[in-house]
Amino acid sequence: MTTQHEQSRKRLIIFPQDKGGIGKSFVATLIYDYLVDQKVKLKTFDLDHANSTFHRFVPEAHFIDTDVDTDKLAVLDKMVNALEDVDIVLVDNRASGGTKILQYIEESRIIELQTQLHFELIFVVIVLDDKDAISQIADLLDEYEDRVRWLVVRNYRDSSQLSLFDQSQTRQRLTGLGALEIEVPCLTEVTRNKLQFFNLTVSKGSASDKLHLLDRTRCARFHDLMSSQFGKAKDLLT
């Protein structure tokens, strides 16, 4: 019989930022690869009605259209209901979709119901050296603080340093809340483009004969690096 403690280990993992182009879908595929490697009971959702980027890389991801009026956002109940059958629900959000999912969180009161529903809500926030991205995280902190758990993803796609974030009060606040940080290094552009062209996650790319051996090797190395990074957050994610 499943105990209440075991049930409470369930996770709803979402990306609450509104800003597009910061790497939410790419990070979602990396987390997906890690969770598959961990052999957890997993269900995935894609909220991007315009591009469905995550679904292209993870075909089993279920699509939910959030381009609806606020009174119809209960369609997102599917995310929570899925936790009845799996241990982890991973949800990729769309650009400018953060507002809708936050409206849903408030309307449904799922934060207040976490204990009764036996799950924890994980906010994955992406950090670049970008004032808007950092400002959005600060706004989320103002609203949610310790009511959710935080995973900070340092995305080095555009820069080798994240000095704006490192010097910010936002990072200090996250650290004070016990947020975990992981790093995503820059994947070689030519390999990244081929993964996008063939709709392959990094893990699938490491074994795909659609890619040149050099690209497969880069994918395998990158996958190993990310496995090590996500391993630091294993207790949070699984």
Side-chain angles (χ1 to χ4, degrees):
M1 179 180 294
T2 302
T3 67
Q4 182 169 328
H5 173 72
E6 288 170 333
Q7 288 179 328
S8 69
R9 296 291 294 174
K10 295 188 176 218
R11 303 282 191 266
L12 174 57
I13 304 172
I14 66 174
F15 296 75
Q17 284 161 288
D18 248 346
K19 188 173 179 62
I22 60 175
K24 290 193 293 288
S25 293
F26 182 60
V27 172
T29 65
L30 296 176
I31 294 177
Y32 168 82
D33 280 344
Y34 175 73
L35 294 175
V36 169
D37 286 349
Q38 296 299 306
K39 302 186 186 307
V40 301
K41 294 176 67 178
L42 172 68
K43 193 163 189 177
T44 53
F45 291 94
D46 187 340
L47 309 187
D48 187 349
H49 70 279
N51 300 306
S52 294
T53 304
F54 185 61
H55 176 74
R56 288 194 289 107
F57 289 92
V58 181
E60 61 268 35
H62 296 261
F63 174 67
I64 302 178
D65 187 357
T66 58
D67 190 24
V68 296
D69 294 335
T70 302
D71 63 345
K72 295 181 175 61
L73 284 176
V75 66
L76 290 169
D77 285 352
K78 294 176 183 178
M79 304 183 306
V80 179
N81 293 338
L83 288 166
E84 297 176 4
D85 302 314
V86 299
D87 295 323
I88 311 290
V89 169
L90 174 64
V91 183
D92 182 37
N93 200 9
R94 64 186 176 92
S96 302
T99 300
K100 286 291 182 71
I101 202 166
L102 295 177
Q103 287 175 336
Y104 169 76
I105 287 172
E106 293 305 312
E107 179 274 329
S108 63
R109 300 187 69 248
I110 63 171
I111 288 181
E112 291 77 10
L113 296 174
Q114 286 178 90
T115 300
Q116 292 171 262
L117 294 172
H118 308 299
F119 79 92
E120 289 184 306
L121 182 59
I122 312 298
F123 276 6
V124 181
V125 291
I126 314 295
V127 176
L128 299 93
D129 226 27
D130 180 281
K131 290 182 180 179
D132 288 341
I134 297 170
S135 176
Q136 285 187 5
I137 297 171
D139 290 342
L140 290 166
L141 283 167
D142 289 341
E143 183 68 28
Y144 296 101
E145 293 189 296
D146 61 353
R147 297 196 295 151
V148 302
R149 299 184 70 186
W150 301 84
L151 177 63
V152 179
V153 179
R154 300 171 63 94
N155 187 351
Y156 290 105
R157 179 193 65 193
D158 301 324
S159 174
S160 61
Q161 295 185 349
L162 301 176
S163 55
L164 286 176
F165 176 66
D166 288 337
Q167 297 168 12
S168 69
Q169 290 185 352
T170 298
R171 190 186 188 198
Q172 293 179 18
R173 293 172 66 188
L174 285 164
T175 301
L177 291 171
L180 295 177
E181 288 190 6
I182 64 106
E183 299 180 352
V184 176
C186 182
L187 178 62
T188 302
E189 183 179 16
V190 64
T191 301
R192 188 170 67 243
N193 289 342
K194 289 179 182 177
L195 290 174
Q196 292 174 349
F197 182 80
F198 291 111
N199 298 327
L200 296 170
T201 68
V202 170
S203 178
K204 293 174 183 176
S206 66
S208 175
D209 58 9
K210 295 179 180 179
L211 301 186
H212 190 281
L213 177 59
L214 291 174
D215 296 303
R216 297 201 303 270
T217 301
R218 292 187 188 109
C219 286
R221 181 175 179 273
F222 194 90
H223 180 66
D224 288 345
L225 285 171
M226 291 315 307
S227 293
S228 176
Q229 286 294 312
F230 287 124
K232 299 175 184 177
K234 182 176 182 179
D235 289 343
L236 177 65
L237 293 174
T238 65

